[in-house]
Amino acid sequence: MIRLVGIESLISAVHVCLNSLQKNEARSMLTAAGKDLVETMNLINTLERLGVSYHFEDEIEELLERFFNLKSNYADEAYDLYTVALHFRLFRQHGYRISCGVFKKFVDDNGKFKETIISDARGLLSLYEAAYLRVHGEDLLEEALAFTTDNLKSMAPYLSSTLGKQVDHALVQSIHFGNPRIEARNFISIYQEDESKNEFLLRWWKELDLVSKLPYARDRVVECFFWAMGVYHEPQYSVARIMLTKTIAMTSIIDDTMTPMVQLKNLKWDVSEIDRLPEYIKPFYSALLNLYEQFEEELSQQGRSYAVHYAKEALKELVRTYYVEAKWFIEGYLPPFSEYMGNALITCTYVYHTTTSLLGIKSVTKEDFEWLSNKPKMLVASLIICRLIDDIATYEVEKERGQIATGIESYMKENGVTKEVAVDKFFEMATNAWKDINEECLRPTSSNSREILMRILNLERIIDVTYKGNEDGYTQPQKVLKPHINALFIDPTVV
C-alpha cells in the first residue's frame, strides 16, 4: 500500500505513476494539467518528491520554461504562501532566476514577516524549504529561514500527525540539502532500484579480498554504493554508479593506509612498479591498476577512453596531498589555516570523486573534464563544504589519535579562539559555500549542463546526510547511515 505525505488531491495520479508505471498516461496528466499553473506545479512537485520525475524530464522542463516566461504576478492575492514558496523552490531547483521579491507581500513595512502567516503551518513549511535555495545577498530569505524555523519548532507538537511528521523531518533534513532517494523514501514506501547492482558490487569487493589483506581498513562497500546512489539514482546511470562505488571504496583504502601509501606518490601508472611497494600494499595497487584497465576498456567502447586520464590525474593529485598530510603528521607540524586548506580541499577526496562521477555519463565531453580540472567556483564550493563539515565531525577522533594538523586546531591557534567559535565559523563558511552552489546552478551563468552540475550538488547532499548531527556517518555508519540503508535496500516498507 502506498501512503503519500502531502498533496491528497494527487493521490490517484501517483497511484497511476507508481503502481502500473503507465508513463504515457502520466504524461497525459502533465499535458492536461499544463493549462493550470498551480495544478501543474503541484503535480511536478509530487512527481519529483516521489523520485519518478526522471521519466518526464523533457515534459517538466518544457512546462517550467513556459510558466517562468509567463512572469506570473505572485503579488496577486490568489497565490497563498504555500503556492508562492513552492513555485519559487521548483523554479530555483531547475535553475530559473526567480526573484525572492515574490515574498514581499508577506512582509510588513518593517521588513518582518507578517503575524498573519504564523498559523499557516503548510505555508511556513513551504517557505522554510524554499529558503534553502538562497544565494548571497538575499537577506529576505535569511529572515525567512530563521522565522519559519522558530515557528515550525513551536507548532510541531500540535500539528496533525501527517503534517507534524513532515515538519519534524524537515527541521532535521531540508529537501534541497537531502539525498533525493532518501527523501523519496520518506515520501512514499517504495524503493525502485535494481538490486542486482548491489549484489554485483558485493561480489566484486569480496573477490578482491582486500579486507583480509588490509584488516585495519574500513570495509564500507555498501556505504560506498549508498554514496554513489545519492549522486545518481536514475536507471540510466547504473554503469556510472558502479564505477563511482568502486572508486570510493578504493579511496577509503588509500585514506586508511595513508602513511605507507604515500609511496605511490612517485610511482608510474604501471604494474612493473609494484615491486617498489611493501608486500601488503601490492594486492591493493594491483587491484587499482586492474580497476582502471576495466574503466578504460568499458569507456573505449563509447569512444570516451580519454575520460580515464582525468580520473587518474585526480587520483595522483589526491595521493600527493595525502603525502603532505602524512608528512605533517610525522613531523608534528600544524600549518597556518590557509596552508592547511590549500591541501585539505584536495584530501577531502571530492575533486577525485566528482571527476570519477562523470566517467559513466555518456554525454560528458572532454571539454567538461577540462572545465572540472580547472576547479571552477561550483567545484571549489563543494570542496569547502565537504572539508569543513568532515573536519567538524572527525575532530575529536583525530585529536585522540594524535593528529595535530586538523582544520579546527589550525583555525583555533591562528585566531586565538575556542573550539566552539571555530566550529561556528566552519558552519558559516559552509553555509556561504552552499550559497555559491545555489548561485552556480542558476541560469544562464552556468555554461555546463545541469547533468554535470547536479552531480556536484548531489555529492554535497550526501555530505549533509552522512555528517548529520556532527557525526561521522561513514566511519560509524550504524549511527547515521544504517537506517537509510535499511530503508532503501533491505526493508522498503511503509514509513
Side-chain angles (χ1 to χ4, degrees):
M1 176 182 178
I2 294 175
R3 181 169 58 139
L4 293 180
V5 181
I7 309 167
E8 300 297 331
S9 62
L10 296 174
I11 288 180
S12 60
V14 174
H15 275 312
V16 170
C17 293
L18 292 182
N19 284 349
S20 63
L21 294 178
Q22 294 174 342
K23 290 184 281 187
N24 289 335
E25 187 169 344
R27 286 192 180 92
S28 298
M29 283 186 273
L30 276 170
T31 303
K35 299 173 183 177
D36 182 277
L37 171 63
V38 174
E39 181 184 350
T40 306
M41 295 294 266
N42 282 341
L43 178 56
I44 290 172
N45 178 56
T46 302
L47 291 172
E48 291 193 346
R49 296 207 61 189
L50 288 170
V52 297
S53 59
Y54 61 88
H55 290 300
F56 320 104
E57 284 182 354
D58 293 341
E59 292 83 356
I60 288 173
E61 287 301 330
E62 182 181 332
L63 286 166
L64 288 173
E65 184 171 0
R66 186 204 312 169
F67 289 145
F68 186 75
N69 289 333
L70 287 176
K71 303 297 181 186
S72 298
N73 180 20
Y74 286 102
D76 191 304
E77 291 184 5
Y79 294 106
D80 61 8
L81 178 59
Y82 170 84
T83 300
V84 174
L86 174 65
H87 293 193
F88 177 89
R89 176 170 62 81
L90 288 176
F91 280 131
R92 281 265 172 121
Q93 283 176 179
H94 286 263
Y96 291 94
R97 288 183 171 272
I98 184 171
S99 169
C100 65
V102 296
F103 296 111
K104 286 184 178 179
K105 72 176 184 177
F106 304 108
V107 176
D108 62 26
D109 295 337
N110 297 317
K112 301 295 183 182
F113 281 92
K114 296 178 180 178
E115 296 288 322
T116 52
I117 65 172
I118 288 180
S119 60
D120 181 8
R122 188 165 173 260
L124 289 176
L125 179 57
S126 187
L127 177 58
Y128 169 86
E129 297 287 13
Y132 276 91
L133 284 104
R134 67 199 187 282
V135 298
H136 293 282
E138 293 188 320
D139 295 339
L140 182 61
L141 292 182
E142 297 286 356
E143 174 65 23
L145 184 58
F147 174 79
T148 54
T149 300
D150 289 343
N151 283 287
L152 288 172
K153 283 181 178 178
S154 298
M155 64 173 61
Y158 309 103
L159 298 173
S160 66
S161 60
T162 300
L163 185 56
K165 288 177 181 177
Q166 289 183 70
V167 169
D168 286 340
H169 177 74
L171 289 171
V172 173
Q173 183 65 70
S174 68
I175 293 172
H176 184 53
F177 285 8
N179 174 310
R181 214 56 183 164
I182 293 175
E183 293 311 298
R185 174 59 178 79
N186 283 315
F187 199 65
I188 57 161
S189 63
I190 295 178
Y191 173 72
Q192 300 177 13
E193 188 63 54
D194 187 350
E195 292 185 356
S196 65
K197 301 301 186 300
N198 304 348
E199 294 166 5
F200 171 79
L201 287 165
L202 287 169
R203 283 197 307 272
W204 166 78
W205 189 245
K206 289 177 180 177
E207 286 170 6
L208 287 180
D209 196 26
L210 293 177
V211 174
S212 65
K213 296 168 183 171
L214 301 169
Y216 54 83
R218 289 168 289 183
D219 181 9
R220 295 289 184 271
V221 70
V222 175
E223 288 79 3
C224 292
F225 179 75
F226 170 82
W227 208 290
M229 187 213 62
V231 179
Y232 20 43
H233 66 268
E234 300 88 345
Q236 67 267 31
Y237 296 119
S238 61
V239 172
R241 268 196 301 277
I242 292 172
M243 286 182 166
L244 183 57
T245 301
K246 290 181 175 181
T247 299
I248 297 173
M250 289 297 199
T251 309
S252 188
I253 295 286
I254 296 174
D255 188 20
D256 292 340
T257 318
M258 182 175 66
T259 304
M261 193 65 74
V262 299
Q263 295 181 60
L264 295 176
K265 179 175 75 81
N266 296 316
L267 289 180
K268 298 175 183 177
W269 200 279
D270 193 302
V271 70
S272 64
E273 296 282 289
I274 201 167
D275 291 334
R276 294 173 53 191
L277 292 170
E279 198 63 36
Y280 71 100
I281 296 295
K282 290 179 180 179
F284 170 79
Y285 188 61
S286 178
L288 189 65
L289 292 177
N290 288 337
L291 179 62
Y292 277 89
E293 285 178 8
Q294 293 169 20
F295 287 172
E296 228 164 325
E297 182 179 338
E298 190 159 1
L299 293 179
S300 66
Q301 297 173 13
Q302 305 171 10
R304 298 179 63 246
S305 58
Y306 63 81
V308 179
H309 163 77
Y310 294 94
K312 287 181 178 179
E313 290 304 307
L315 177 56
K316 290 176 183 177
E317 181 183 38
L318 176 62
V319 172
R320 287 195 296 270
T321 55
Y322 274 151
Y323 172 78
V324 173
E325 207 171 79
K327 190 179 178 193
W328 289 346
F329 181 82
I330 293 168
E331 296 175 353
Y333 174 64
L334 179 61
F337 188 65
S338 61
E339 183 182 356
Y340 168 81
M341 285 295 286
N343 195 72
L345 289 184
I346 308 302
T347 60
C348 79
T349 75
Y350 260 29
V351 174
Y352 178 45
H353 290 162
T354 303
T355 303
T356 305
S357 74
L358 305 182
L359 290 184
I361 303 178
K362 294 181 180 179
S363 64
V364 175
T365 65
K366 187 173 183 178
E367 289 71 28
D368 293 324
F369 282 108
E370 285 291 336
W371 172 79
L372 196 65
S373 67
N374 289 323
K375 298 183 178 62
K377 185 178 180 179
M378 176 85 170
L379 178 61
V380 172
S382 80
L383 303 179
I384 290 171
I385 295 168
C386 180
R387 180 73 275 160
L388 297 179
I389 298 303
D390 177 279
D391 279 1
I392 293 169
T394 60
Y395 170 67
E396 294 298 338
V397 172
E398 290 178 341
K399 185 178 179 181
E400 286 176 9
R401 69 186 184 199
Q403 190 164 333
I404 296 174
T406 66
I408 298 288
E409 286 290 347
S410 178
Y411 189 87
M412 288 167 59
K413 180 180 179 181
E414 186 168 301
N415 295 279
V417 298
T418 63
K419 172 196 166 186
E420 289 70 27
V421 172
V423 167
D424 287 344
K425 183 62 179 179
F426 276 30
F427 277 126
E428 180 187 330
M429 289 189 285
T431 297
N432 285 331
W434 263 110
K435 292 176 185 178
D436 287 338
I437 286 180
N438 290 342
E439 177 70 39
E440 291 300 296
C441 284
L442 295 178
R443 306 173 189 180
T445 58
S446 299
S447 58
N448 288 81
S449 71
R450 286 190 62 75
E451 190 168 34
I452 296 173
L453 298 180
M454 286 303 296
R455 304 293 75 81
I456 300 175
L457 173 60
N458 284 344
L459 278 163
E460 291 321 299
R461 287 167 164 166
I462 285 291
I463 291 296
D464 195 76
V465 171
T466 303
Y467 295 102
K468 185 65 65 180
N470 299 341
E471 296 280 1
D472 182 357
Y474 183 76
T475 303
Q476 302 291 335
Q478 68 276 9
K479 292 184 178 181
V480 179
L481 297 186
K482 184 177 180 180
H484 298 317
I485 291 171
N486 283 340
L488 293 179
F489 304 132
I490 299 170
D491 185 27
T493 55
V494 177
V495 291

